[in-house]
PDB file of all heavy atoms in Angstrom:
ATOM      1  N   GLU N  94      73.248  96.464 110.197  1.00  0.00           N
ATOM      2  CA  GLU N  94      73.844  97.038 109.029  1.00  0.00           C
ATOM      3  C   GLU N  94      75.359  97.073 109.075  1.00  0.00           C
ATOM      4  O   GLU N  94      75.924  96.878 110.193  1.00  0.00           O
ATOM      5  CB  GLU N  94      73.318  98.490 108.772  1.00  0.00           C
ATOM      6  CG  GLU N  94      71.865  98.589 108.564  1.00  0.00           C
ATOM      7  CD  GLU N  94      71.419 100.026 108.551  1.00  0.00           C
ATOM      8  OE1 GLU N  94      71.118 100.529 109.758  1.00  0.00           O
ATOM      9  OE2 GLU N  94      71.261 100.615 107.511  1.00  0.00           O
ATOM     10  N   SER N  95      75.997  97.340 108.081  1.00  0.00           N
ATOM     11  CA  SER N  95      77.422  97.604 108.035  1.00  0.00           C
ATOM     12  C   SER N  95      77.686  98.765 108.890  1.00  0.00           C
ATOM     13  O   SER N  95      77.037  99.779 108.900  1.00  0.00           O
ATOM     14  CB  SER N  95      77.919  97.885 106.679  1.00  0.00           C
ATOM     15  OG  SER N  95      77.835  96.822 105.719  1.00  0.00           O
ATOM     16  N   GLY N  96      78.690  98.648 109.825  1.00  0.00           N
ATOM     17  CA  GLY N  96      79.081  99.702 110.716  1.00  0.00           C
ATOM     18  C   GLY N  96      78.309  99.648 112.038  1.00  0.00           C
ATOM     19  O   GLY N  96      78.389 100.588 112.845  1.00  0.00           O
ATOM     20  N   SER N  97      77.541  98.559 112.300  1.00  0.00           N
ATOM     21  CA  SER N  97      76.739  98.527 113.472  1.00  0.00           C
ATOM     22  C   SER N  97      77.542  97.968 114.665  1.00  0.00           C
ATOM     23  O   SER N  97      77.031  98.009 115.704  1.00  0.00           O
ATOM     24  CB  SER N  97      75.477  97.649 113.256  1.00  0.00           C
ATOM     25  OG  SER N  97      75.854  96.356 112.902  1.00  0.00           O
ATOM     26  N   GLY N  98      78.778  97.546 114.445  1.00  0.00           N
ATOM     27  CA  GLY N  98      79.512  97.038 115.576  1.00  0.00           C
ATOM     28  C   GLY N  98      79.665  95.530 115.591  1.00  0.00           C
ATOM     29  O   GLY N  98      80.283  94.978 116.596  1.00  0.00           O
ATOM     30  N   LYS N  99      79.125  94.799 114.616  1.00  0.00           N
ATOM     31  CA  LYS N  99      79.151  93.314 114.649  1.00  0.00           C
ATOM     32  C   LYS N  99      80.552  92.798 114.666  1.00  0.00           C
ATOM     33  O   LYS N  99      80.976  91.964 115.549  1.00  0.00           O
ATOM     34  CB  LYS N  99      78.446  92.687 113.419  1.00  0.00           C
ATOM     35  CG  LYS N  99      76.944  93.229 113.276  1.00  0.00           C
ATOM     36  CD  LYS N  99      76.230  92.549 112.135  1.00  0.00           C
ATOM     37  CE  LYS N  99      76.929  92.680 110.827  1.00  0.00           C
ATOM     38  NZ  LYS N  99      77.063  94.084 110.307  1.00  0.00           N
ATOM     39  N   SER N 100      81.340  93.168 113.669  1.00  0.00           N
ATOM     40  CA  SER N 100      82.775  92.602 113.475  1.00  0.00           C
ATOM     41  C   SER N 100      83.619  93.082 114.723  1.00  0.00           C
ATOM     42  O   SER N 100      84.447  92.288 115.172  1.00  0.00           O
ATOM     43  CB  SER N 100      83.379  92.963 112.242  1.00  0.00           C
ATOM     44  OG  SER N 100      82.705  92.432 111.128  1.00  0.00           O
ATOM     45  N   VAL N 101      83.453  94.305 115.150  1.00  0.00           N
ATOM     46  CA  VAL N 101      84.251  94.793 116.246  1.00  0.00           C
ATOM     47  C   VAL N 101      83.897  94.010 117.500  1.00  0.00           C
ATOM     48  O   VAL N 101      84.829  93.641 118.261  1.00  0.00           O
ATOM     49  CB  VAL N 101      84.106  96.321 116.521  1.00  0.00           C
ATOM     50  CG1 VAL N 101      84.723  96.707 117.804  1.00  0.00           C
ATOM     51  CG2 VAL N 101      84.443  97.081 115.345  1.00  0.00           C
ATOM     52  N   THR N 102      82.746  93.595 117.715  1.00  0.00           N
ATOM     53  CA  THR N 102      82.283  92.797 118.825  1.00  0.00           C
ATOM     54  C   THR N 102      83.066  91.339 118.693  1.00  0.00           C
ATOM     55  O   THR N 102      83.646  90.864 119.756  1.00  0.00           O
ATOM     56  CB  THR N 102      80.789  92.553 118.867  1.00  0.00           C
ATOM     57  OG1 THR N 102      80.114  93.725 119.013  1.00  0.00           O
ATOM     58  CG2 THR N 102      80.418  91.633 120.095  1.00  0.00           C
ATOM     59  N   ALA N 103      83.021  90.810 117.617  1.00  0.00           N
ATOM     60  CA  ALA N 103      83.736  89.503 117.333  1.00  0.00           C
ATOM     61  C   ALA N 103      85.175  89.579 117.571  1.00  0.00           C
ATOM     62  O   ALA N 103      85.855  88.737 118.260  1.00  0.00           O
ATOM     63  CB  ALA N 103      83.457  89.011 115.918  1.00  0.00           C
ATOM     64  N   LEU N 104      85.779  90.668 117.100  1.00  0.00           N
ATOM     65  CA  LEU N 104      87.251  90.900 117.216  1.00  0.00           C
ATOM     66  C   LEU N 104      87.695  91.210 118.648  1.00  0.00           C
ATOM     67  O   LEU N 104      88.705  90.805 119.108  1.00  0.00           O
ATOM     68  CB  LEU N 104      87.814  91.991 116.327  1.00  0.00           C
ATOM     69  CG  LEU N 104      87.779  91.692 114.863  1.00  0.00           C
ATOM     70  CD1 LEU N 104      88.028  93.007 114.095  1.00  0.00           C
ATOM     71  CD2 LEU N 104      88.701  90.724 114.446  1.00  0.00           C
ATOM     72  N   SER N 105      86.722  91.690 119.448  1.00  0.00           N
ATOM     73  CA  SER N 105      86.918  91.974 120.791  1.00  0.00           C
ATOM     74  C   SER N 105      86.985  90.688 121.553  1.00  0.00           C
ATOM     75  O   SER N 105      87.850  90.454 122.502  1.00  0.00           O
ATOM     76  CB  SER N 105      85.775  92.825 121.432  1.00  0.00           C
ATOM     77  OG  SER N 105      85.702  94.087 120.779  1.00  0.00           O
ATOM     78  N   VAL N 106      86.144  89.749 121.262  1.00  0.00           N
ATOM     79  CA  VAL N 106      86.188  88.426 121.885  1.00  0.00           C
ATOM     80  C   VAL N 106      87.474  87.727 121.571  1.00  0.00           C
ATOM     81  O   VAL N 106      88.041  87.026 122.498  1.00  0.00           O
ATOM     82  CB  VAL N 106      85.030  87.503 121.435  1.00  0.00           C
ATOM     83  CG1 VAL N 106      85.113  86.069 121.978  1.00  0.00           C
ATOM     84  CG2 VAL N 106      83.693  88.095 121.817  1.00  0.00           C
ATOM     85  N   MET N 107      88.037  87.851 120.393  1.00  0.00           N
ATOM     86  CA  MET N 107      89.345  87.211 120.035  1.00  0.00           C
ATOM     87  C   MET N 107      90.548  88.099 120.506  1.00  0.00           C
ATOM     88  O   MET N 107      91.673  87.631 120.411  1.00  0.00           O
ATOM     89  CB  MET N 107      89.418  87.154 118.535  1.00  0.00           C
ATOM     90  CG  MET N 107      88.366  86.268 117.858  1.00  0.00           C
ATOM     91  SD  MET N 107      88.587  84.512 118.329  1.00  0.00           S
ATOM     92  CE  MET N 107      90.150  84.187 117.435  1.00  0.00           C
ATOM     93  N   ARG N 108      90.210  89.256 120.972  1.00  0.00           N
ATOM     94  CA  ARG N 108      91.257  90.201 121.386  1.00  0.00           C
ATOM     95  C   ARG N 108      92.191  90.506 120.226  1.00  0.00           C
ATOM     96  O   ARG N 108      93.426  90.541 120.363  1.00  0.00           O
ATOM     97  CB  ARG N 108      92.075  89.703 122.651  1.00  0.00           C
ATOM     98  CG  ARG N 108      91.620  90.350 123.966  1.00  0.00           C
ATOM     99  CD  ARG N 108      92.444  89.909 125.115  1.00  0.00           C
ATOM    100  NE  ARG N 108      93.861  90.203 125.012  1.00  0.00           N
ATOM    101  CZ  ARG N 108      94.724  89.934 125.907  1.00  0.00           C
ATOM    102  NH1 ARG N 108      94.310  89.326 127.043  1.00  0.00           N
ATOM    103  NH2 ARG N 108      95.992  90.267 125.832  1.00  0.00           N
ATOM    104  N   LEU N 109      91.549  90.969 119.170  1.00  0.00           N
ATOM    105  CA  LEU N 109      92.257  91.288 117.979  1.00  0.00           C
ATOM    106  C   LEU N 109      91.915  92.664 117.455  1.00  0.00           C
ATOM    107  O   LEU N 109      91.955  92.963 116.186  1.00  0.00           O
ATOM    108  CB  LEU N 109      92.002  90.227 116.849  1.00  0.00           C
ATOM    109  CG  LEU N 109      92.561  88.837 117.061  1.00  0.00           C
ATOM    110  CD1 LEU N 109      92.162  87.907 115.951  1.00  0.00           C
ATOM    111  CD2 LEU N 109      94.145  88.975 117.049  1.00  0.00           C
ATOM    112  N   ILE N 110      91.366  93.491 118.295  1.00  0.00           N
ATOM    113  CA  ILE N 110      91.029  94.830 117.915  1.00  0.00           C
ATOM    114  C   ILE N 110      92.229  95.656 117.382  1.00  0.00           C
ATOM    115  O   ILE N 110      93.249  95.733 118.068  1.00  0.00           O
ATOM    116  CB  ILE N 110      90.441  95.616 119.189  1.00  0.00           C
ATOM    117  CG1 ILE N 110      89.182  95.006 119.648  1.00  0.00           C
ATOM    118  CG2 ILE N 110      90.154  97.077 118.768  1.00  0.00           C
ATOM    119  CD1 ILE N 110      87.990  95.059 118.725  1.00  0.00           C
TER     120      ILE N 110
END
Side-chain angles (χ1 to χ4, degrees):
E94 295 171 278
S95 296
S97 62
K99 307 185 303 295
S100 293
V101 173
T102 300
L104 291 171
S105 299
V106 174
M107 296 294 293
R108 259 183 59 182
L109 290 174
I110 297 292

